[in-house]
Amino acid sequence: MSILLVAEHDHKSLNPATLNAVTAATKIGGDITILVAGENCGPSADSAAKVAGVSKVLKADNASFGHHLAEPMADLIVEQAKSGGYKYVLAPATTMGKNIMPRVAAMLDTQQVSDIIAVESADTFVRPIYAGNAIATVQSKDDVKVITVRTTGFDKAAAEGGSASVEDISASGASDLSSFVGQELTESERPELTSAGIVISGGRGVGSAENFEMIEDLADTLGAAVGASRAAVDAGYVPNDYQVGQTGKVVAPDLYMAIGISGAIQHLAGMKDSKVIVAINKDEDAPIFQVADYGLVADLFDAVPKLKTALENLKQAA
Amino acid sequence: MKILVAVKRVLDYNVKARVKSDQSGVDLSNVKMSMNPFCEIAVEEAVRMKEKGLAEEIITVSIGPSQAQETLRTSLAMGADRSILIEIDENVEPLAVAKLLKGVVEKESPNLVIMGKQSIDGDNNQTGQMLAALLGWGQGTFASKVEKDGDQLKVTREVDGGLETVGLKLPAVVTTDLRLNEPRYASLPNIMKAKKKPLDTMAPSDFGVDVSPRVVTLKVTEPPKREAGIKVESVEQLVDKLQNEAKVI
Ligand SMILES: Cc1cc2nc3c(=O)[nH]c(=O)nc-3n(C[C@H](O)[C@H](O)[C@H](O)COP(=O)(O)OP(=O)(O)OC[C@H]3O[C@@H](n4cnc5c(N)ncnc54)[C@H](O)[C@@H]3O)c2cc1C
Ligand SMILES: Nc1ncnc2c1ncn2[C@@H]1O[C@H](COP(=O)(O)O)[C@@H](O)[C@H]1O
């Protein structure tokens, strides 16, 4: 059995989500080949070669993969999957994986299994459905299995310790179906939301973009990432990529704080596997308290500054 | 332009799914069913394009049981011109849905297909990408803005790091994200008018598509329940618990 794993990376380094997907691949079993496609992506390919458990890295370095557009990427992946005779094609369920992999699956005439959180056996996988309110165990009958991996379901493979060979593959990737026009990426010094150990999220209760700075300050005290409910994103307090939930990002940090968030099913879907959940809400009946390990019924405008001070004092005392 | 929109009937987003005790699936008897929210956004976007004079005709398609007619009527009340129901009682997987939609595209020759990014029941997030692949078209997924730019479509996409804009050669497939628009409510007169709009019913066999499942559901269980936690009285107590009990700070 052999597995082709499509790396999520920014050309300079591997995205940690790739490491979670490697662990899923290890559970399936078999030789793992990582495909690194990009532009001047040598550093990513070199990092991929060091990941424990990886046998080979394929590097497709070409300007046409510079933005990971779905059309050239899918052509490349399908070509490699066929020529290499891979039985599995995996990618982390990031927006890139979600965009490209179903296209790959259709081209290979196979029914993708999305967002797996566990591997039961070589053909049987576990995945959440209905916003995580039900967990399905599914068996794939397809000869080639195309799978996306929910990163919170698997630990990260060790980034060091492997010594795979890097093989250059030539692929032009030319496609006139789509072109890159531009991007507006959120710049932040904070840890990345989906891999952070602590996430502090604010909701509609925070009230405005200005007030949201309070949440960000609190996060900075803890070295945490900042998340949000959809209502906070819709109201324009924060950019879209902060959204945690069924249709946003799924996180499972050691500590998740939901501040001014009611706890709608769609929000819970994205954070209820966190190890410890704290909720601060002025409504004692807010559904978020049903999943919170520690609930504080309070006005956030009072509690958040106090919490920040208390944490700063703690840091100083340490 | 002619626009095709795919709409799915799903458990209403306000209803919490209940797992059947025999673990065969989610209980859908006597629960409210509605149009998948992302599909509502897709219909709304098509209707806005028509209102702007960018499109002449909007056709909506649903693959599902006869009750999916209601979903299609809703789309007609929102402003679609006519509908096609591909009737089947069993759940159809994304690849088979994409193959059926490909059949509809070949019959109707739309310049654009708009779909939801994700059905909120299966949470697959596949069908639009698959349809684009089968047709050999470009795809603009998770769209938060769609603009016609000459004979191109400019699609702004919600991605992990923020926003990305791509140009697509038409025809193309677009899938909607939540912030693309806010779907309208159908007015009563429009609901009445929708009853007279054409709705054709077809069968999967009309398209020669094999819809038998490739991925078999062995069981569906409830997610592990979280133990109910405690309420703390003060910020001080919270910090103490986090430090000394949970040991996470
Ligand atoms: C298809 C679909 C997908 C969705 N996907 C997502 C998703 O991925 N993620 C997501 O989050 N949502 C999602 N939603 C939206 C979701 O249904 C809820 O509307 C949303 O999560 C509500 O956000 P909120 O809790 O911030 O706002 P609200 O529900 O309005 O809650 C605000 C809370 O703040 C509290 N509050 C107000 N003022 C204060 C104060 N001063 N101090 C303390 N507490 C205060 C209130 O008591 C209340 O509980 C989706 C919806 C749909 C239809
Ligand atoms: N049975 C169906 N009938 C019509 N459209 C569907 C169906 N299943 C999926 N779709 C379309 O594909 C989108 C994504 O669905 P999915 O890939 O299942 O998450 C939906 O929002 C619909 O636009």
Side-chain angles (χ1 to χ4, degrees):
Chain A
M1 266 189 317
S2 56
I3 301 174
L4 181 66
L5 191 154
V6 183
E8 166 90 29
H9 68 102
D10 65 358
H11 316 279
K12 297 189 287 291
S13 61
L14 277 190
N15 182 304
T18 306
L19 301 175
N20 303 88
V22 168
T23 301
T26 312
K27 298 219 159 138
I28 292 169
D31 281 345
I32 302 170
T33 300
I34 298 196
L35 173 63
V36 176
E39 184 178 11
N40 301 324
C41 58
S44 296
D46 293 340
S47 314
K50 293 200 193 97
V51 176
V54 174
S55 5
K56 190 161 82 177
V57 173
L58 301 175
K59 182 173 83 166
D61 204 327
N62 192 297
S64 51
F65 306 124
H67 296 285
H68 297 137
L69 292 175
E71 299 80 2
M73 284 291 289
D75 289 347
L76 170 72
I77 296 164
V78 168
E79 195 183 296
Q80 291 305 315
K82 284 187 175 159
S83 65
Y86 293 96
K87 288 293 176 198
Y88 295 83
V89 187
L90 260 65
T94 54
T95 48
M96 181 186 101
K98 288 174 176 173
N99 185 36
I100 298 170
M101 295 299 272
R103 193 172 176 103
V104 169
M107 290 165 79
L108 293 172
D109 193 35
T110 150
Q111 174 54 54
Q112 172 174 310
V113 182
S114 297
D115 256 314
I116 63 162
I117 54 169
V119 175
E120 296 269 284
S121 71
D123 65 1
T124 304
F125 311 97
V126 180
R127 59 179 303 262
I129 52 175
Y130 288 88
N133 287 307
I135 307 292
T137 302
V138 299
Q139 185 178 32
S140 163
K141 307 268 189 201
D142 280 315
D143 182 37
V144 176
K145 302 186 196 333
V146 174
I147 295 169
T148 63
V149 178
R150 181 172 287 200
T151 53
T152 54
F154 300 89
D155 293 334
K156 286 182 187 44
E160 302 281 336
S163 55
S165 58
V166 179
E167 188 183 314
D168 251 303
I169 49 173
S170 59
S172 82
S175 164
D176 64 350
L177 295 176
S178 69
S179 58
F180 175 79
V181 177
Q183 63 188 11
E184 256 176 76
L185 299 185
T186 308
E187 306 235 343
S188 166
E189 298 291 305
R190 296 193 187 93
E192 199 267 320
L193 188 52
T194 56
S195 52
I198 303 181
V199 174
I200 314 285
S201 289
R204 199 196 312 265
V206 176
S208 70
E210 293 74 51
N211 293 347
F212 216 92
E213 283 173 21
M214 212 166 64
I215 303 294
E216 289 167 346
D217 288 345
L218 180 62
D220 291 340
T221 318
L222 288 164
V226 179
S229 71
R230 176 189 165 199
V233 174
D234 276 352
Y237 305 168
V238 289
N240 63 279
D241 52 300
Y242 282 37
Q243 181 181 321
V244 170
Q246 179 187 17
T247 56
K249 288 182 179 156
V250 178
V251 303
D254 294 331
L255 173 61
Y256 186 89
M257 285 199 202
I259 303 177
I261 292 178
S262 62
I265 20 186
Q266 293 84 9
H267 188 79
L268 300 186
M271 46 65 77
K272 70 180 157 71
D273 293 329
S274 305
K275 286 209 183 73
V276 175
I277 297 176
V278 169
I280 302 179
N281 197 303
K282 67 177 179 189
D283 171 11
E284 61 174 338
D285 296 323
I288 189 76
F289 287 124
Q290 290 163 20
V291 300
D293 300 283
Y294 304 110
L296 177 61
V297 181
D299 188 317
L300 69 91
F301 296 103
D302 178 50
V304 172
K306 270 193 194 153
L307 182 56
K308 181 170 172 262
T309 311
L311 292 170
E312 276 166 355
N313 291 344
L314 208 65
K315 250 207 294 200
Q316 267 160 19
Chain B
M1 230 174 28
K2 189 164 164 181
I3 305 179
L4 187 75
V5 182
V7 298
K8 187 177 182 190
R9 178 176 181 267
V10 298
L11 179 66
D12 186 84
Y13 84 98
N14 268 315
V15 179
K16 187 164 181 235
R18 269 174 302 120
V19 172
K20 286 195 220 166
S21 53
D22 66 359
Q23 302 197 332
S24 63
V26 163
D27 195 352
L28 294 180
S29 53
N30 301 317
V31 290
K32 186 174 177 209
M33 304 289 285
S34 301
M35 191 189 299
N36 183 42
F38 290 101
C39 301
E40 284 185 347
I41 296 171
V43 175
E44 176 67 34
E45 196 62 18
V47 173
R48 288 189 191 185
M49 289 180 99
K50 189 177 171 189
E51 285 169 348
K52 280 192 213 141
L54 294 173
E56 295 81 50
E57 190 183 24
I58 302 168
I59 306 160
T60 54
V61 193
S62 192
I63 294 136
S66 62
Q67 294 93 317
Q69 283 185 31
E70 295 161 23
T71 313
L72 289 167
R73 290 285 172 208
T74 305
S75 73
L76 294 170
M78 287 174 73
D81 297 291
R82 62 189 169 90
S83 294
I84 301 166
L85 170 66
I86 304 177
E87 195 172 330
I88 170 162
D89 281 330
E90 292 82 49
N91 180 46
V92 185
E93 293 174 343
L95 181 61
V97 171
K99 288 179 181 173
L100 291 168
L101 292 175
K102 177 175 185 250
V104 177
V105 166
E106 280 163 357
K107 197 166 153 275
E108 299 285 351
S109 313
N111 313 77
L112 174 63
V113 181
I114 312 183
M115 310 168 60
K117 83 161 174 182
Q118 179 173 340
S119 15
I120 61 163
D121 50 2
D123 284 333
N124 300 306
N125 195 336
Q126 298 179 8
T127 313
Q129 297 88 315
M130 287 182 156
L131 177 62
L134 296 178
L135 292 166
W137 292 5
Q139 66 186 54
T141 55
F142 327 147
S144 65
K145 194 166 167 195
V146 178
E147 290 165 293
K148 186 121 191 291
D149 182 11
D151 52 2
Q152 272 219 85
L153 207 62
K154 243 169 63 184
V155 178
T156 303
R157 312 180 47 238
E158 295 200 4
V159 296
D160 284 337
L163 296 171
E164 175 190 85
T165 305
V166 294
L168 300 177
K169 198 171 104 177
L170 286 169
V173 176
V174 167
T175 77
T176 62
D177 216 317
L178 290 170
R179 274 162 291 275
L180 181 58
N181 60 49
E182 244 185 83
R184 70 195 64 194
Y185 289 102
S187 67
L188 196 58
N190 285 340
I191 293 173
M192 300 312 289
K193 261 192 247 161
K195 292 192 173 151
K196 299 200 190 72
K197 292 187 181 176
L199 194 162
D200 287 339
T201 301
M202 305 186 74
S205 56
D206 294 337
F207 299 93
V209 173
D210 175 8
V211 296
S212 46
R214 313 278 198 88
V215 174
V216 182
T217 300
L218 302 178
K219 67 172 179 190
V220 175
T221 56
E222 284 203 26
K225 279 230 164 27
R226 279 192 88 92
E227 294 289 317
I230 58 157
K231 290 245 170 80
V232 292
E233 295 302 324
S234 64
V235 167
E236 291 69 36
Q237 200 193 350
L238 175 63
V239 172
D240 176 62
K241 292 278 184 197
L242 290 178
Q243 191 184 17
N244 300 315
E245 193 175 86
K247 299 190 168 51
V248 283
I249 54 171

